[in-house]
Amino acid sequence: MEEMGRIWRGSLVVFLLLFSWVFHGSASVTYDKRSFIIDGQRKILISGSIHYPRSTPEMWPDLIQKAKDGGLDVIQTYVFWNGHEPSPGKYYFEGRYDLVRFIKVVQAAGLYVHLRIGPYVCAEWNFGGFPVWLKYVPGIAFRTDNGPFKVAMQGFTQKIVNMMKAEKLFEPQGGPIIMSQIENEYGPVEYEIGAPGKAYTKWAAAMAVKLDTGVPWVMCKQEDAPDPVIDSCNGFYCENFFPNKEYKPKMFTEAWTGWYTEFGGAIPQRPAEDLAYAVARFIQNRGSFINYYMYHGGTNFGRTAGGPFISTSYDYDAPLDEYGLPSEPKWGHLRDLHKAIKLCEPALVSADPTVTSLGTNLEAHVYKANSGACAAFLANYDPKSSARVTFGNMQYDLPPWSVSILPGCKNAVFNTARISAQSSQMKMTPASTFSWQSYNEETASAYSEDTTTMDGLLEQINITRDATDYLWYMTEVHIKPDEQFLKSGQYPVLTVMSAGHALHVFINGQLSGTVFGGLSNPKLTFSDNVKLIAGANKISLLSVAVGLPNVGLHFETWNAGVLGPVTLKGLNEGTVDMSSWKWSYKIGLKGEALKIQDTTQSSSVEWVEGSLAAQKQPLTWYKSTFNAPGGNDPLALDMSSMGKGQIWINGESIGRHWPAYTAHGNCGDCSYAGIFHEKKCQTGCGEPSQRWYHVPRSWLKPSGNQLIVFEELGGNPAGITLVKRTMDRVCADIFEGQPSLKNSLIGSSKVHSLQSKAHLWCASGLKISKIQFASYGVPQGTCGSFREGSCHAHKSYDALQRNCIGKQSCSVSVAPEVFGGDPCPGSMKKLSVEALCS
């Protein structure tokens, strides 16, 4: 019988595999108002954005697996036109831009894909994803009813769709792509430009649908999305959004997990409690698809950052940090939220909610299916007051600004404001320092043979075509010996007005000053006394772009560079306007032309080493070699001693560094409760906007790695260190009796007898070495700054030291008997604990 059973089970497995393959071969994706229906099965879909060029192919499997472990069903990504078609008709789909490989990694993990073809992406990406050559197609205007633009856009969209079809990657072909997006956040643009915008929207939707992908098309922030295209919502909150037709599913294509960092700006963070609250409110109000933008933000390698002024880090306070490590508690809290939502799924996809008021700012959303499935969401919208509500003859405590989720409509298994997941704090540990060689970049001067001379001032991107950040503007000023300032010492004032983004002013080869703009106003003005001498004076202006704009009405028409006026005030004749003089232009740096960042070309210049190496000199290239540190911890360069420039490792561009641009903002205490906006929870004021720069492990060899740094301002390379990102400490902050997923396993009569537990774990290879803080009672503060409150159990440390020291992970029940009795009967108590990992 046992043998028969084994044969039968084996046959069943083969049959099921064949059945699933046959069924999958004719799979379909449809939808109605309740949900997407994939292969005949209704699903509440939880998705996360991971942009393939913002990490390396070697990182992809781990990122996707962590996304799956975090409870995701779908990976959402843009397609980056300028990465794939850097010049007309010349395509690139290798390395970080290997789109097919990325999608197949997602498929191998058993997840779906939402492919946002765009091809406009915004995304804080250079030029919003458009290739710069597109700007120079005759007669073109971007994103409107314009013939040349529509031809180019349709061509690229078809290219991507045909590539996906050829690789059988759409769901009806057995692939993972279940939906695609055309255009991106176009509604606000259409509103501004009127009729041509409406015509373009209709054209784009019709063009996409005709491509016959077999999966639905989406347009985000597009209230008039033509049928059958689904309109969707982007924002911090989308609970009150509904699609433009009753039969379309309610989609949240971008739930913003944080915000981008700009050079000169503080680092934005969004509390995990508020993000979970936004998602729970969306799901309770008929939401069927939620995507986290970003789930892993990653890195703007090379010159891919847009803005302008977007930092090289695109961490976005995402659940997976820039380096691919879980950002706790956000990753763990959302994982628990997703488990709770999935427990409710049978009811959510089968019924419409009944909404009942439980009091002021208190509501219950209840889904009851004919099958008997039930799910309830109990919400407290008050940002200040907690509440005790009665629902189904039971009482539930709701913290401020929170939603409790009750699969089965009985036991609360999750509350958005009560975090069961641990918090962790990371540290950057020095792994190696460098010894440097240097090469001084020459200050370009007018009329030399590698320059072009023209009348007047020209726009920067028209000349460089964005092949480099750098453009020299050069002229000469002849000073007569009888100029009054030569006797008085009152040097004339040079004023240079520029469209941005940064400017270094050199007079006779010496740096006279640096000015730069910012994201909110890229324009800048240099105005200062300049030391001129009798005779010929060389004025050399190095204009620097810091990424091209990625958003705004017709941003393709926006300017960069020195457009003037340029004046000299304080001469015998008064003020001279130099704007229409003859100016010489030189594209890029000499070091760039010599390709000294390339491992094979770096020996083409004479490097100076040892004590002769330049220190704190502007326009200097630095070179060092180093061995890769052991282990698997992510790596970064600590650039805090440097000013501004670019970094390469083994010829691969890490990106722009700019630690000299310190963060301005409003940093301070931040409550999770109340409406979130991008300036609400900022950190790092007064420090560099970005200090650490990610070095992908896969870019390194075991030994002999080449590091090249170009420094514009004159930083000190002796301070650069290679660091490892490791776990430093972990914390738990658990209330007595707070909702737990374990509550779903027990009957309603026993729910109040279940104890909460504090769980701690260190990363692989580390163990809990010390309990830094522990308090059972009413402790105050957050991880890294806990302190005892007015009530504290004196045996708070005992159980934790006994259960946790020397272990990789441990758990402790949050109950009076564990800590020697109740220190304050009648009070709502919690356990706060901080432990060191080593």
Side-chain angles (χ1 to χ4, degrees):
M1 197 66 191
E2 180 64 25
E3 187 63 26
M4 286 288 288
R6 270 204 296 272
I7 292 168
W8 185 84
R9 281 196 296 273
S11 304
L12 179 66
V13 168
V14 172
F15 171 76
L16 287 172
L17 284 170
L18 281 169
F19 178 79
S20 69
W21 181 80
V22 169
F23 195 73
H24 210 65
S26 58
S28 68
V29 184
T30 57
Y31 58 79
D32 61 18
K33 69 175 184 178
R34 292 211 177 110
S35 70
F36 284 91
I37 305 160
I38 304 172
D39 302 350
Q41 196 173 352
R42 292 183 173 279
K43 293 177 184 289
I44 299 294
L45 293 170
I46 298 167
S47 172
S49 289
I50 299 177
H51 294 160
Y52 52 98
R54 285 177 156 145
S55 53
T56 63
E58 292 76 11
M59 292 170 69
W60 294 343
D62 184 60
L63 293 173
I64 305 301
Q65 187 58 48
K66 283 175 178 157
K68 184 177 184 178
D69 294 343
L72 267 54
D73 306 298
V74 184
I75 301 299
Q76 177 170 296
T77 184
Y78 283 125
V79 178
F80 296 86
W81 188 359
N82 53 11
H84 293 303
E85 195 177 3
S87 58
K90 299 281 195 311
Y91 293 100
Y92 183 79
F93 288 94
E94 294 167 37
R96 299 199 320 278
Y97 291 92
D98 193 339
L99 175 59
V100 167
R101 177 177 172 183
F102 178 76
I103 293 173
K104 287 182 175 178
V105 170
V106 178
Q107 183 178 26
L111 299 182
Y112 298 117
V113 172
H114 177 199
L115 191 66
R116 305 174 88 189
I117 299 173
Y120 167 68
V121 301
C122 187
E124 292 71 60
W125 187 263
N126 195 53
F127 218 40
F130 288 131
V132 172
W133 57 259
L134 193 66
K135 174 177 174 171
Y136 300 101
V137 171
I140 203 162
F142 286 11
R143 305 180 76 206
T144 186
D145 192 16
N146 170 271
F149 179 76
K150 292 194 293 188
V151 166
M153 173 178 160
Q154 181 169 351
F156 182 73
T157 305
Q158 280 180 323
K159 169 83 178 172
I160 296 300
V161 166
N162 290 341
M163 179 182 273
M164 298 301 107
K165 284 182 178 178
E167 296 286 342
K168 294 187 165 43
L169 292 175
F170 288 108
E171 174 72 11
Q173 303 174 290
I177 302 172
I178 56 169
M179 61 188 82
S180 292
Q181 181 178 299
I182 194 70
E183 248 301 331
N184 186 50
E185 297 186 326
Y186 187 67
V189 178
E190 181 188 297
Y191 177 81
E192 290 281 337
I193 66 176
K198 286 187 181 300
Y200 169 69
T201 296
K202 285 182 181 167
W203 169 84
M207 180 268 288
V209 171
K210 270 187 199 150
L211 294 173
D212 194 24
T213 60
V215 301
W217 284 92
V218 178
M219 281 181 152
C220 64
K221 287 175 87 164
Q222 188 72 51
E223 290 175 8
D224 61 349
D227 296 341
V229 176
I230 306 164
D231 56 316
S232 65
C233 185
N234 296 352
F236 291 117
Y237 308 94
C238 280
E239 65 270 11
N240 295 322
F241 161 84
F242 280 95
N244 61 19
K245 288 288 187 339
E246 174 70 17
Y247 60 81
K248 295 179 183 178
K250 175 168 162 169
M251 295 183 68
F252 196 168
T253 31
E254 292 187 17
W256 298 330
T257 57
W259 201 244
Y260 55 81
T261 301
E262 63 192 82
F263 285 124
I267 297 169
Q269 296 186 318
R270 186 176 188 186
E273 299 97 324
D274 179 66
L275 180 57
Y277 173 77
V279 173
R281 284 196 65 175
F282 181 77
I283 295 294
Q284 77 174 6
N285 201 15
R286 303 185 183 210
S288 61
F289 174 99
I290 163 78
N291 175 77
Y292 296 100
Y293 188 100
M294 300 292 297
Y295 196 79
H296 170 253
T299 308
N300 293 317
F301 296 114
R303 298 170 53 252
T304 58
F309 296 95
I310 297 297
S311 65
T312 299
S313 170
Y314 199 64
D315 182 88
Y316 220 88
D317 196 29
L320 296 176
D321 72 14
E322 177 179 3
Y323 304 89
L325 300 175
S327 179
E328 297 282 27
K330 188 173 278 187
W331 182 86
H333 193 45
L334 295 177
R335 172 204 58 203
D336 295 345
L337 167 66
H338 304 152
K339 287 179 180 175
I341 291 170
K342 290 297 185 180
L343 288 170
C344 298
E345 187 177 55
L348 293 173
V349 299
S350 307
D352 294 329
T354 304
V355 184
T356 313
S357 172
L358 302 175
T360 307
N361 287 323
L362 300 166
E363 265 183 357
H365 287 68
V366 181
Y367 290 79
K368 276 189 179 165
N370 292 334
S371 65
C374 188
F377 296 76
L378 308 183
N380 178 6
Y381 306 136
D382 192 306
K384 295 201 165 55
S385 305
S386 56
R388 175 165 284 187
V389 300
T390 301
F391 171 78
N393 298 323
M394 289 176 64
Q395 290 196 318
Y396 299 87
D397 290 314
L398 299 178
W401 200 254
S402 77
V403 177
S404 278
I405 301 178
L406 288 66
C409 294
K410 287 280 195 288
N411 301 337
V413 303
F414 183 87
N415 177 275
T416 58
R418 292 285 183 256
I419 297 179
S420 297
Q422 74 170 12
S423 301
S424 59
Q425 293 191 336
M426 311 304 287
K427 63 181 176 182
M428 297 302 215
T429 310
S432 59
T433 54
F434 305 96
S435 53
W436 295 97
Q437 300 173 296
S438 70
Y439 165 73
N440 289 354
E441 174 73 24
E442 294 172 9
T443 306
S445 49
Y447 312 127
S448 57
E449 54 188 49
D450 57 352
T451 65
T452 303
T453 303
M454 299 187 196
D455 291 330
L457 297 164
L458 304 178
E459 198 276 335
Q460 181 164 342
I461 308 306
N462 284 345
I463 300 177
T464 65
R465 300 292 167 108
D466 197 40
T468 170
D469 280 356
Y470 304 101
L471 178 66
W472 288 99
Y473 291 74
M474 301 157 288
T475 192
E476 285 189 357
V477 179
H478 291 270
I479 297 298
K480 297 173 185 167
D482 63 349
E483 282 289 350
Q484 190 61 36
F485 76 82
L486 291 171
K487 298 192 187 80
S488 70
Q490 279 292 101
Y491 290 109
V493 173
L494 176 67
T495 300
V496 181
M497 299 187 76
S498 167
H501 307 132
L503 183 71
H504 306 298
V505 177
F506 292 86
I507 307 294
N508 296 322
Q510 297 299 306
L511 182 63
S512 188
T514 292
V515 284
F516 43 86
L519 177 57
S520 57
N521 183 15
K523 294 181 175 166
L524 54 93
T525 302
F526 172 87
S527 192
D528 206 354
N529 301 88
V530 289
K531 190 173 181 179
L532 301 180
I533 56 175
N537 292 264
K538 296 178 187 293
I539 295 184
S540 304
L541 311 175
L542 181 57
S543 180
V544 188
V546 192
L548 301 189
N550 57 267
V551 65
L553 199 59
H554 286 301
F555 62 79
E556 77 271 18
T557 63
W558 299 1
N559 293 326
V562 179
L563 298 179
V566 177
T567 61
L568 198 58
K569 179 183 176 185
L571 303 178
N572 289 356
E573 59 183 297
T575 300
V576 175
D577 189 336
M578 304 156 63
S579 309
S580 57
W581 286 15
K582 284 202 180 302
W583 287 85
S584 292
Y585 296 89
K586 182 185 175 187
I587 298 171
L589 306 167
K590 184 175 181 184
E592 287 180 305
L594 294 169
K595 296 186 175 170
I596 61 175
Q597 72 274 20
D598 193 318
T599 47
T600 58
Q601 303 292 323
S602 67
S603 55
S604 60
V605 300
E606 296 240 358
W607 294 91
V608 177
E609 54 189 310
S611 59
L612 297 174
Q615 298 233 345
K616 302 184 182 178
Q617 289 288 313
L619 300 198
T620 304
W621 296 82
Y622 295 101
K623 180 169 92 163
S624 186
T625 54
F626 66 99
N627 298 336
N632 296 316
D633 296 317
L635 301 174
L637 287 167
D638 183 344
M639 299 293 289
S640 53
S641 67
M642 301 302 280
K644 179 183 184 301
Q646 295 182 36
I647 312 165
W648 294 264
I649 287 199
N650 293 332
E652 296 274 6
S653 175
I654 295 288
R656 302 181 181 100
H657 71 271
W658 201 348
Y661 209 156
T662 52
H664 303 279
N666 297 304
C667 298
D669 290 340
C670 164
S671 167
Y672 78 86
I675 295 288
F676 180 80
H677 54 87
E678 65 272 19
K679 292 189 164 45
K680 180 179 175 185
C681 297
Q682 296 183 321
T683 61
C685 293
E687 298 171 10
S689 291
Q690 186 175 349
R691 173 178 175 179
W692 292 289
Y693 296 79
H694 180 206
V695 177
R697 282 258 181 194
S698 59
W699 290 4
L700 300 182
K701 306 175 287 188
S703 61
N705 297 287
Q706 178 178 282
L707 169 60
I708 301 279
V709 175
F710 175 65
E711 172 60 31
E712 297 171 26
L713 300 177
N716 179 12
I720 299 175
T721 53
L722 186 67
V723 297
K724 290 183 176 185
R725 186 168 176 82
T726 57
M727 187 178 274
D728 182 28
R729 59 196 63 207
V730 293
C731 299
D733 200 23
I734 308 293
F735 285 83
E736 278 185 315
Q738 75 178 40
S740 159
L741 285 157
K742 290 197 172 59
N743 292 0
S744 66
L745 306 175
I746 59 176
S748 59
S749 59
K750 298 179 184 168
V751 72
H752 290 295
S753 65
L754 195 74
Q755 292 177 344
S756 304
K757 281 193 171 182
H759 299 274
L760 298 172
W761 58 271
C762 293
S764 178
L766 300 177
K767 290 185 176 171
I768 296 168
S769 56
K770 184 182 181 186
I771 303 298
Q772 188 83 357
F773 177 90
S775 178
Y776 171 69
V778 289
Q780 307 292 306
T782 56
C783 185
S785 61
F786 285 133
R787 60 191 184 277
E788 288 179 19
S790 56
C791 154
H792 165 73
H794 293 293
K795 290 193 173 179
S796 293
Y797 283 79
D798 295 8
L800 288 152
Q801 287 172 331
R802 194 167 56 246
N803 288 355
C804 299
I805 298 294
K807 294 181 181 173
Q808 188 190 346
S809 65
C810 66
S811 61
V812 172
S813 293
V814 182
E817 58 270 22
V818 178
F819 303 101
D822 190 336
C824 41
S827 295
M828 167 74 85
K829 288 169 287 294
K830 67 173 181 171
L831 171 67
S832 296
V833 55
E834 178 183 321
L836 300 187
C837 295
S838 60

